[in-house]
Amino acid sequence: MTYRICLLPGDGIGPEVITQAEKVLKALGLQFEFEVGDIGFGAYKKHGTPLPESTMESILKSDATLFGAVTTPPDIPGYFSPVVRMRQALDLYANIRPCRSFDHPASRPGIDLVVVRENTEDLYSGVERIEDDGNRAIGEMIITRRASERVSRKAFELARAEGRHKVTIVHKANVLRQTCGLFRRVALEVASDYPGITADEMLVDTCAMELVRAPGQFDVIVTTNLFGDILSDEASMLVGGLGVAYSGNIGVKAAVFEPVHGSAPTLAGKHTANPIATFLSAVMLLQYIGEAAVAGRLRQAVLDCIAQQAVTPDLGGTLTTEQVTDRVLSAFEIVPERK
Ligand SMILES: NC(=O)c1ccc[n+]([C@@H]2O[C@H](COP(=O)([O-])OP(=O)(O)OC[C@H]3O[C@@H](n4cnc5c(N)ncnc54)[C@H](O)[C@@H]3O)[C@@H](O)[C@H]2O)c1
């Protein structure tokens, strides 16, 4: 079986980490056909748009997509976020960001949580306007029953599939009574379909505080787009930071896996970008296409490198991006298949 994989390198360190991930994927003993798509500021300079139609077509005809990162250029009229547009246009409705402790001094122990973030609406709907001669800016926070329902169901299904016991519904319904109120109501309705899983709820400000105070209490967090964006970055810092934070954008017609970090322009070309977040995104991709055993071996190889301090400077190591890749590849060769 040959899997079609779309690679979207993007800008800054994006191409560097995607090149490393491609090397790793090619060494796993599976059959892949790769197609590379343009996205980001580089794509804008080449095609006049940061998200060309050809890229969307590549994603749609692939079994899964691995994306690097893009740079947001300074004010260019008409420029839009290709990441937000891609998520909305492909209806990648659930953004899944696992956050587990690593065996490394930069990671706190005892953390194993997943943030499931609604990915298509909220304040990221793109409905913004300027009034009063530029003195008043308005952005609409759009929450629908449909999006709230399906992302909540995704969170409870994930909990069930992974043998997790609790889903925390995070909102700000005490103040945002209509928008967050609807999200909260629908999520609690969905929860009633899963009697074996405890559903609790928490205000977003409390959640931000509790993530720092006692992160071990969380299992699955389900929340709206903006809150999930912020909380998942916060959670990533508990276990080592952006260099190891990975994610999947899951829809019905497509799935795009990506490191949580951005294009880190100051690191580009310096061979110090940590490729581990992209490798772990590739692990999620392998699980998604049904290659759980290979995914498990690759994950273990990455965890072994982290535990042995075979890492880049952001994690206190001395290896280059390419040397980390070599270590993961040699570790992969000796990791046995999991039963
Ligand atoms: N999904 C995306 O493509 C995405 C996400 C966030 C930011 N961005 C864009 O990226 C650009 C830079 O944004 P930023 O600086 O706020 O965020 P960033 O994630 O690029 O960098 C934040 C910090 O983390 C470090 N870092 C990030 N990834 C790393 C890695 N793999 N290895 C080692 N260190 C790493 C950087 O050096 C920097 O100190 C901006 O143009 C922003 O709009 C893109």
Side-chain angles (χ1 to χ4, degrees):
M1 157 121 201
T2 300
Y3 298 107
R4 293 178 79 123
I5 304 295
C6 174
L7 299 174
L8 305 179
D11 306 311
I13 62 168
E16 298 171 30
V17 292
I18 290 294
T19 300
Q20 303 311 308
E22 186 180 358
K23 268 195 239 171
V24 168
L25 286 170
K26 280 180 173 163
L28 301 180
L30 299 171
Q31 291 295 323
F32 291 113
E33 199 177 289
F34 294 104
E35 189 165 302
V36 177
D38 291 330
I39 190 166
F41 191 39
Y44 177 82
K45 288 189 258 185
K46 194 164 145 194
H47 304 280
T49 169
L51 187 60
E53 198 47 48
S54 55
T55 298
M56 297 290 278
E57 283 163 14
S58 279
I59 298 171
L60 279 170
K61 67 179 195 224
S62 298
D63 295 305
T65 294
L66 190 63
F67 163 53
V70 292
T71 297
T72 308
D75 266 354
I76 294 180
Y79 194 89
F80 57 85
S81 162
V83 181
V84 173
R85 181 71 62 89
M86 174 176 67
R87 290 170 179 164
Q88 290 171 347
L90 296 172
D91 205 18
L92 303 171
Y93 67 90
N95 188 310
I96 297 176
R97 295 186 171 188
C99 178
R100 272 205 231 172
S101 294
F102 294 103
D103 180 7
H104 186 278
S107 171
R108 285 164 67 168
I111 298 167
D112 182 3
L113 63 90
V114 185
V115 178
V116 180
R117 157 187 170 197
E118 201 291 319
N119 216 17
T120 60
E121 53 179 33
D122 191 0
L123 276 169
Y124 294 178
S125 302
V127 188
E128 288 191 309
R129 62 185 182 278
I130 290 285
E131 295 181 350
D132 189 18
D133 284 337
N135 294 310
R136 199 169 129 92
I138 299 171
E140 290 186 15
M141 177 174 180
I142 298 173
I143 301 290
T144 64
R145 167 172 283 277
R146 175 172 176 265
S148 304
E149 202 271 339
R150 60 186 181 168
V151 78
S152 300
R153 202 163 289 289
K154 189 77 179 175
F156 280 91
E157 286 295 329
L158 180 144
R160 182 185 268 170
E162 296 190 1
R164 294 175 177 273
H165 303 295
K166 186 170 75 169
V167 175
T168 304
I169 300 159
V170 174
H171 57 76
K172 188 69 183 174
N174 56 334
V175 176
L176 304 171
R177 300 178 82 87
Q178 301 305 326
T179 47
C180 277
L182 177 60
F183 180 80
R184 171 184 177 271
R185 208 163 52 246
V186 172
L188 286 170
E189 280 169 24
V190 170
S192 66
D193 292 339
Y194 298 83
I197 298 168
T198 304
D200 70 356
E201 55 178 307
M202 199 177 275
L203 296 176
V204 63
D205 39 349
T206 308
C207 182
M209 185 180 70
E210 288 295 314
L211 269 173
V212 174
R213 193 187 69 81
Q217 71 184 285
F218 293 103
D219 197 349
V220 177
I221 290 173
V222 64
T223 189
T224 47
N225 203 343
L226 175 63
F227 297 160
D229 193 0
I230 298 167
L231 293 175
S232 58
D233 273 28
E234 182 191 356
S236 78
M237 286 313 295
L238 300 168
V239 299
L242 287 174
V244 291
Y246 53 104
S247 70
N249 301 274
I250 312 294
V252 175
K253 290 182 291 189
V256 178
F257 299 85
E258 55 169 319
V260 170
H261 63 71
S263 63
T266 55
L267 295 186
K270 300 214 166 100
H271 302 272
T272 51
N274 190 341
I276 285 177
T278 311
F279 295 161
L280 293 173
S281 304
V283 168
M284 272 184 106
L285 179 152
L286 291 164
Q287 287 163 340
Y288 175 82
I289 61 173
E291 292 290 347
V294 179
R297 287 180 64 206
L298 177 58
R299 179 178 165 73
Q300 194 54 52
V302 173
L303 297 186
D304 290 349
C305 284
I306 296 173
Q308 291 157 14
Q309 283 277 10
V311 286
T312 42
D314 57 304
L315 285 183
T318 55
L319 298 195
T320 63
T321 312
E322 293 76 12
Q323 286 169 331
V324 174
T325 306
D326 291 343
R327 287 292 287 265
V328 168
L329 288 174
S330 53
F332 180 80
E333 281 164 19
I334 53 175
V335 172
E337 188 169 326
R338 281 188 175 164
K339 291 285 170 266

